[in-house]
Each structure stands twice: as C-alpha cells, then as structure tokens.
Amino acid sequence: MRVVVVGATGNLGTALLTRLQAEPEVTSLVGVARRGPRMATPPYGEVTWFSIDVGADDSPVALERAFAGADAVVHLGWALQPSHHKAVMYRTNVLGTSHVLDAAARAGVPHVLVASSVGAYSRGPKGRRVDETYKTKGVRRSSYSKHKSINERVMDAFVEQHPEVTLTRMRPGLVFQASAASEIVGLFAGRWVPTRWMQRVRPPFIPLAPRFVSQVVHASDVADAFWRAIDRRAGGAFNLAAEPVVDPDRIARAFGSRLLPVPYRLLRAVVQLTWLARLQPTEPGWLDIAAKIPVMSTEKARDVLGWTPRHTSDETLREFAHALAHRTKHEGSHPLHG
C-alpha cells in the first residue's frame, strides 16, 4: 500500500508517519510539505519527500506527480499564522485543500482523507452531544472556523463530482502531544514567551471563562483513527475526541494551578485589543470556538472504525503542560492537526 501524507512534518503528520510505519501493509510512504525535514531521523527517514506549496497556482501539477500510484492521500496541511493576514491563510487552507482534492482526482487516487475539525461545526450545545450530521457552518467571527466550514462545502462538492473516490473527513477536537508544545506556544502566545519557569513554579491561577467547554485528543490517537479509516477504506465524517470533556477546572488542574473565572466578554475584549495591537498572535475567534462549538459524540468512530483513544483528555493535557515547561519540540509546521 502506498500512502501520501500532505503536511507530513507537522504535529499530526509526524504522528501519522509513525503510525503508518508500524503497519506492514504500508510498503511506501510519501511526504509532502512546503519544506521537507532537515534531517532523515525517525519518522522522516524512510519517506519519499516532495517540497510543494499547496496554495501555489501550479501546485496541482506537482501534487498530481506526488500522488501517482497512491492508494490513499491524507491531507493535513494547514496554516494558523499569520493571523493578521487572512488572505495568506485562505491561500493555504482553502485553495490548498481544493488543489489537493483536484490533484487526487486527476491522479486516480481511490481514497482521500482530510483533516477537518470540531471548529467546522456551527454554534451548538454544551450539555448534549452532536453527531456528524450536525450543521457545519462554522463560528462567524473565527477565521479558522470559517475556513474549515468552507472546506466542508468543497468536500461536499467533491463527493458529488467524484463518486468513484472514497472521501473521509476527520473532525478532531484540539490535538495535542508533548513534542508540539513549543510550537503551540509560539503560534498562540509568541515564540519568545518564556515557559521554563514552570519547571520550578506553577502558575498561581489560570484566567479562563466558564463557557470554555471543549474536547481534546492526543495526536497519536488521531493518527490511529486515520490508519483505521485507510485500512477499512471507510468514507464519511468522523468525530474524534478523548474523554472526559474538558472544562476550565480540568485545564487549571492539568497545569497544577487554580481557575480564575473571567467573564467571557471581558476576556475576549482583552484578547481583541492585544491582537489588534499585535502584542500577541492569537485571533479572538479562538475564544469564540471554545465558548460556542458543540460537544461531539464519537460513537460513529468507535463503531465503524473500532477506534478507542488510548489517552484520556486529562493525560493529554498533563503531558502537554509538562512538555510546555520543558519546551519540548519537534521539527514540524502545524501543531494543532497537520
């Protein structure tokens, strides 16, 4: 089996390469990234690499060559920054996804898998769970959510135009692993924000809004779900998240701290002002995602894929908090899912 991974040097891409290399059925691995890895260390060593900018106008031709003979193509590539330049992110996130799908169809790839997100869902309930049929119109003031929603419509059209191709869309919660901690801090707080002091002293409190109820999942567990879908050639959408659901108290405990409840509107105003002033890189739309997206049911992934996450959400958060204090990092490009 020949598998191509687009966005293969990121957090989830690295986890997926590791997972695929453990399967004897996978005899050929191809990685696509804007910049290939600098070192041929695991899990990058036994991979054929193509350096392609998926948002470029000529990328479909290069992607079609990279996809030649593939049994499955997994698209994980995504840009979270620069958040102040939405056209740049749109080029990678939306145009890039269209380019990957077009190239896969022209190359005759029978199975395409795309990393969508819980962020694709419309505003929804926190007290009950939604399945994969819930509306995916995104959260209005989040660029990330809007791009994920647009891609859902792109994938809908692809399914209609190419019924011969099995299309799988994974919708994970926030994806974490220890090796991505340094990058996540860089993308959401700034690369020069110090965190090593957390080795000696825990933060006395963490300011969060009580409305921030969300779901997380470990990168290796998402990678396992992708492999299961490839192995079964399972199409359709799948929600992926660990248990239990994460609330602000659990986040604070994972960091060995206490929760300082802050009104949502006040916290959003502070983030909005500091983002507009370019004091920090986190777009306030991320707070809207945390406050408004629904809680997902993962029953379909468990039933159809036989998927059960090995890491609880508490374990995943504690691993991330520990790695954050020690600035654990890997050579990658997208810490949240690609």
Side-chain angles (χ1 to χ4, degrees):
M1 180 183 293
R2 182 177 178 87
V3 180
V4 182
V5 180
V6 180
T9 58
N11 170 31
L12 184 49
T14 301
L16 183 57
L17 290 182
T18 301
R19 181 66 181 87
L20 294 176
Q21 287 170 354
E23 294 299 328
E25 294 94 334
V26 180
T27 56
S28 176
L29 265 177
V30 176
V32 175
R34 182 177 300 177
R35 293 179 298 276
R38 293 185 295 271
M39 297 178 289
T41 54
Y44 303 130
E46 298 182 7
V47 179
T48 301
W49 287 96
F50 288 82
S51 295
I52 302 173
D53 176 359
V54 297
D57 291 339
D58 60 351
S59 67
V61 175
L63 288 167
E64 186 178 354
R65 288 196 295 267
F67 296 168
D71 297 287
V73 166
V74 182
H75 178 43
L76 308 175
W78 198 264
L80 291 175
Q81 297 292 349
S83 63
H84 289 91
H85 300 283
K86 292 180 172 54
V88 175
M89 294 196 298
Y90 183 93
R91 175 183 177 275
T92 297
N93 300 340
V94 177
L95 296 182
T97 297
S98 293
H99 291 164
V100 168
L101 293 174
D102 291 345
R106 287 202 305 269
V109 178
H111 191 186
V112 180
L113 304 93
V114 179
S116 185
S117 170
V118 63
Y121 284 119
S122 304
R123 181 172 183 164
K126 299 291 190 180
R128 63 178 177 85
R129 304 205 178 206
V130 304
D131 65 16
E132 289 80 358
T133 64
Y134 194 76
K135 54 189 176 182
T136 53
K137 296 183 179 180
V139 176
R140 182 170 57 88
R141 293 190 292 180
S142 164
S143 296
Y144 175 87
S145 185
K146 286 190 291 186
H147 290 171
K148 289 295 184 183
S149 177
I150 292 170
N151 281 347
E152 289 282 345
R153 305 290 78 76
V154 170
M155 288 187 279
D156 290 342
F158 182 86
V159 169
E160 289 191 9
Q161 295 165 7
H162 300 282
E164 75 283 2
V165 180
T166 299
L167 180 69
T168 306
R169 51 188 104 181
M170 298 295 191
R171 296 176 185 151
L174 294 179
V175 181
F176 294 107
Q177 66 174 325
S179 59
S182 182
E183 288 178 81
I184 291 174
V185 171
L187 284 169
F188 287 94
R191 295 196 175 276
W192 307 112
V193 173
T195 59
R196 291 188 183 276
W197 59 269
M198 292 172 59
Q199 296 179 36
R200 301 181 300 276
V201 181
R202 292 298 182 184
F205 58 83
I206 295 181
L208 294 170
R211 294 169 60 181
F212 290 170
V213 175
S214 57
Q215 290 166 290
V216 303
V217 61
H218 198 280
S220 64
D221 288 325
V222 179
D224 182 60
F226 269 103
W227 162 246
R228 289 171 180 271
I230 294 169
D231 187 44
R232 292 163 172 77
R233 192 164 291 185
F238 295 94
N239 295 335
L240 304 174
E243 297 296 336
V245 173
V246 173
D247 61 19
D249 280 314
R250 286 189 179 276
I251 295 173
R253 288 200 300 271
F255 283 84
S257 183
R258 292 179 298 172
L259 171 66
L260 175 64
V262 178
Y264 168 70
R265 292 182 183 275
L266 174 61
L267 191 58
R268 195 187 193 285
V270 171
V271 173
Q272 173 85 10
L273 289 172
T274 54
W275 180 72
L276 290 174
R278 297 179 184 263
L279 298 177
Q280 56 84 18
T282 300
E283 182 187 65
W286 282 99
L287 303 188
D288 298 327
I289 290 178
K292 298 177 181 179
I293 55 171
V295 175
M296 302 182 296
S297 165
T298 61
E299 183 177 348
K300 183 181 176 184
R302 295 169 187 269
D303 291 346
V304 176
L305 303 180
W307 178 77
T308 301
R310 294 178 57 247
H311 304 79
T312 68
S313 55
D314 291 329
E315 290 168 348
T316 301
L317 287 173
R318 285 197 300 268
E319 176 186 307
F320 174 74
H322 180 269
L324 187 62
H326 294 79
R327 296 299 289 224
T328 304
K329 62 182 179 179
H330 75 90
E331 183 183 349
S333 59
H334 186 335
L336 285 185
H337 75 227

